[in-house]
Amino acid sequence: MITLLRKQLLACLVLMLIAVAACHRTASAPLQPPAVQTKSFQPRALRDVVFERTPERLARGKYLTEGLLQCFICHSGRDWNKPGAPPVANKKGAGHIWEDRPWLVAPNLTPDKETGAGNWTDDMFARAIREGISHDGRVLHPQMWYGSFRSLSDEDLASVIVYLRTLPPVHNPLPKTNIPEERKKTLEAPEPLVDPVPQPDLSNAVKRGAYLARIADCAGCHTAWEAPIVPGFYAGGNLIERGKEKVFSANLTPDSSGIGYYDDALFISTIRTGHVKARKLSSLMPWIVFRNLNDDDLKDLFAYLRARRPVHHVVDNTEPPTECPACGQKHGYGDRNSKKTVVPVSVDTRAYADYVGRYRFDDGFIVTISTGNNSIAGNNPSGSNNPSGGNNPNSGNNPGGVTNPNAGPHLFIQFGNDPHKIELLPISATEFTAADIPDVITFERNAQGQVTHLLSNVDEVGKKIE
Ligand code: HEC
Ligand code: HEC
């Protein structure tokens, strides 16, 4: 779950123009943000576990590995001459050297003893997949998506490993990853997973879809993390490149500029065929593996996307690129968009005192909420400057030329250890956001009226600890 919050932190840092290590986006490789130094943990010791090989696990593992989790999109060579660039069949899982970063190698996962994973234990796999530590104890590059795989339940993880062990061994000698020193310094070991990870809440379509979207990291590609302005979660505009091919990811929110006009049938046919009606999708969208999902899972994914907050951001890769005021980049139909604004509404700011505190997410990530009298000038990079320099406690900052109608205290958010405070503005009685974060935040109260949790628009939940 950490992934989205950390990426959010990254989005703020980028907006603040603080230098962060360069990100790379490549074909098989949607943008993963540079690890933002928050806290580094000691990897846990390996355990002596062997996951029982059952037919149910084998089937579930194959389904996840060859579908939603995209393992072979990265751990195999791909045939770019075929639609969707499928993994090369007889080299499935046999590893792959990154084209634009030859020092990065997705290793051979097949059980070949000499060049593959034949000698690795089940727990070496488990720790690598969810906790980002290689079989020999090194922190893995986040291009391996352990950030999103972290949410895999214990049973799904066991299933993936049971399946991987049945792959035909492929002899494929590859060099070892050799991360440049500068980049290595910024890599942090994630917090080890010591508690059981139960099956997620699967009680309704939106919740089931949330789990699927999280472990597939749809938001990783479909949110413009690195753009000068992040229009919103799932609002598209993330530049994905492979050689000369450049595409911007699509807006997947239920806005008219996103998938507002989709229904179940169109969503399923898009993912299954790699075509939206007659238009062919770029092979950089991994529909080639998502097409292996069954109808029920695709419907759940769609239900989850439909339940997101609509964001207006037209992105059309078939049109010539034009300046986009919503994300600050140049992409097809960029000129059809307007600057992101946050229009604050009147609320009872006395409630702010209840929100103040520290909130802890599953993986240890901390978000701090505080109040203050002064709003922060320049908080909103897309909006106009606050002429009052943020010293006027009553007018608040001035996002995109709109005045905060609220007298009284202002509300602020901080991500991780970042000392920078971002002012949150109320956009309804219960929802808060800022122009420079893609999220919308709400606070949850218990039956006694005490604030107990902070909720993000992508279903991440932070528990109030102070
Ligand atoms: C977006 C690309 C990508 C995806 C998707 C991906 N991997 Fe990886 N994986 C990598 C890269 C790159 C590395 C090597 C990182 C390094 O060496 O620092 C890696 C490393 C690993 C390792 C560590 C091997 C070791 O040295 O101990 C394992 C195990 C692994 N991946 C398994 C998987 C499985 C299983 C899946 C699907 C659930 C998967 N990967 C999906 C890119 C990916
Ligand atoms: C590796 C990056 C990547 C990942 C991961 C990814 N997408 Fe995409 N997706 C793209 C890109 C790029 C496009 C735009 C392709 C184009 O315009 O040709 C796209 C387009 C789409 C479209 C077509 C939208 C339209 O009408 O134009 C849908 C639907 C979609 N993605 C759904 C998903 C879902 C659901 C997930 C997660 C299960 C997902 N994507 C994960 C990169 C990605």
Side-chain angles (χ1 to χ4, degrees), residues 314 320 322-325 331-338:
V314 189
T322 46
E323 298 285 347
C324 173
H331 60 71
Y333 278 157
D335 55 0
R336 298 207 167 181
N337 298 314
S338 44

Side-chain angles (χ1 to χ4, degrees), residues 22 36 96 102 119 194 198 231 267 273 291 298-299 385 398 423 435:
V36 176
H96 170 68
N119 297 321
V194 285
F267 186 74
T273 64
R291 73 175 171 173
L298 286 174
K299 284 183 192 158
N385 271 336
N398 192 2
E423 182 167 2

Side-chain angles (χ1 to χ4, degrees), residues 229 325 339-342 344 375-390 395-404 423 425 435-436:
I229 310 159
K339 199 179 262 184
K340 181 180 178 183
T341 51
V342 177
S375 72
I376 293 174
N379 191 21
N380 178 1
S382 58
S384 53
N385 271 336
N386 181 354
S388 68
S395 71
N397 77 343
N398 192 2
V402 211
T403 305
N404 184 353
E423 182 167 2
L425 296 167
D436 48 2

Side-chain angles (χ1 to χ4, degrees), residues 281-300:
L281 287 182
S282 159
S283 299
L284 301 184
M285 156 69 191
W287 62 269
I288 195 76
V289 289
F290 297 153
R291 73 175 171 173
N292 296 330
L293 269 71
N294 62 37
D295 283 9
D296 286 346
D297 280 352
L298 286 174
K299 284 183 192 158
D300 290 345

Side-chain angles (χ1 to χ4, degrees), residues 78 166 248 354 442:
R78 294 171 69 185
T166 68
F248 288 87
D354 300 345
T442 54

Side-chain angles (χ1 to χ4, degrees), residues 43-46 75 105-107 109 117 120-142 144 146 176-177 179 187-190:
R44 69 169 169 83
L46 285 164
H75 285 272
V105 182
L109 300 179
W120 301 355
T121 64
D122 281 6
D123 199 36
M124 284 176 179
F125 270 103
R127 197 178 61 167
I129 296 169
R130 280 200 312 205
E131 297 160 67
I133 305 298
S134 72
H135 68 286
D136 47 6
R138 172 176 66 83
V139 181
L140 291 167
H141 188 280
M144 163 66 192
Y146 47 86
K176 275 191 183 247
T177 288
I179 304 173
L187 286 185
E188 53 176 312

Side-chain angles (χ1 to χ4, degrees), residues 5 14 55 57 93 101 131 149 177 252 291 341 387-388 406 458:
L5 281 158
V14 168
R57 281 186 172 162
R101 283 169 288 167
E131 297 160 67
F149 299 151
T177 288
L252 296 186
R291 73 175 171 173
T341 51
S388 68
N406 295 299
V458 272

